[in-house]
Amino acid sequence: MKKEMLLTLVDKVVKVDRGGPESRIGKLLAVDEDCITLLTEDEGIVYYKTHHIKSLTANAKNELQYNIEVPEDFEYKKGANFKSVLEELKYHWIKVNRGGPETLEGVLDDINEDYVTIVANEEVIRLSMFHIRNVSYGVKVEKPKPAEKANADESTKESGRKNQEKGNEQKKQKDAKGK
């Protein structure tokens, strides 16, 4: 996909691919030379190599479910291209090819033009750069906890109830004066 087209979708909610194990919905944060950066609800930051993306769907009528507000000071690893992003992720726990049988997790140890080296448990795995479709490293935006939301809802209800009681009391006083 052409970078110019992808740039028009930055800061929008998109769905990468139509379905399958690699498909994700998220906010497109950045478009680089050969990859995009997507912020997903459940997995945090996911970097997709653009030549592996089959389709992108824009959130035309807010039908794609995405419930995260991105703070202005939100930080994530950036690079000019996919290899430089991987350099930024060196020695971090990553997940490669997020769906399907080729999923791999471990610490990114080495990056070169041909392959990356990932250490997982007692294995040293070399994975071809060409076959990496996406990588994530789990930086997430905190969602409000259900208890916090419930407390806020209760507070709003309580405030509304008090205002209604106050209004009823004022009406009673007005009616009493009118008699």
Side-chain angles (χ1 to χ4, degrees):
M1 294 197 171
K2 296 236 181 224
K3 186 175 180 179
E4 294 77 27
M5 186 280 297
L6 293 170
L7 286 169
T8 66
L9 298 172
V10 170
D11 290 329
K12 294 187 175 142
V13 176
V14 297
K15 182 176 184 180
V16 177
D17 295 338
R18 298 296 304 152
E22 300 294 332
S23 180
R24 297 290 183 273
I25 295 173
K27 186 170 191 173
L28 184 60
L29 298 179
V31 176
D32 298 314
E33 183 180 308
D34 60 351
C35 68
I36 63 170
T37 306
L38 192 71
L39 176 61
T40 65
E41 280 187 56
D42 298 328
E43 297 156 333
I45 298 290
V46 181
Y47 302 94
Y48 278 89
K49 287 173 75 175
T50 53
H51 74 266
H52 285 295
I53 297 174
K54 294 174 186 77
S55 67
L56 272 176
T57 304
N59 195 9
K61 294 183 181 177
N62 291 329
E63 292 180 11
L64 297 177
Q65 296 298 315
Y66 185 77
N67 301 316
I68 293 181
E69 287 295 321
V70 182
E72 286 186 30
D73 61 345
F74 181 70
E75 292 187 21
Y76 57 94
K77 305 292 183 188
K78 300 174 186 173
N81 56 36
F82 192 70
K83 186 176 182 240
S84 64
V85 167
L86 290 178
E87 291 288 347
E88 291 293 318
L89 294 173
K90 195 169 186 177
Y91 307 125
H92 285 81
W93 186 271
I94 62 168
K95 190 168 184 178
V96 180
N97 298 338
R98 303 215 43 89
E102 295 299 316
T103 299
L104 173 63
E105 285 186 74
V107 176
L108 181 59
D109 183 55
D110 190 33
I111 303 105
N112 65 45
E113 295 297 321
D114 296 323
Y115 62 90
V116 297
T117 304
I118 297 172
V119 178
N121 295 325
E122 296 172 8
E123 299 177 320
V124 177
I125 304 153
R126 288 172 184 81
L127 181 62
S128 168
M129 283 286 274
F130 178 79
H131 291 288
I132 298 175
R133 292 183 295 275
N134 56 58
V135 171
S136 67
Y137 75 108
V139 170
K140 296 181 182 180
V141 173
E142 291 295 319
K143 294 184 205 178
K145 293 178 178 57
E148 290 174 6
K149 188 173 189 286
N151 289 343
D153 290 347
E154 271 310 306
S155 164
T156 303
K157 286 179 188 175
E158 181 69 21
S159 172
R161 190 171 45 75
K162 284 182 180 176
N163 285 340
Q164 186 175 8
E165 287 173 0
K166 187 177 178 182
N168 289 343
E169 187 62 36
Q170 288 173 347
K171 185 176 182 210
K172 284 179 187 176
Q173 289 173 356
K174 201 185 265 186
D175 289 345
K177 285 181 184 177
K179 288 184 180 181

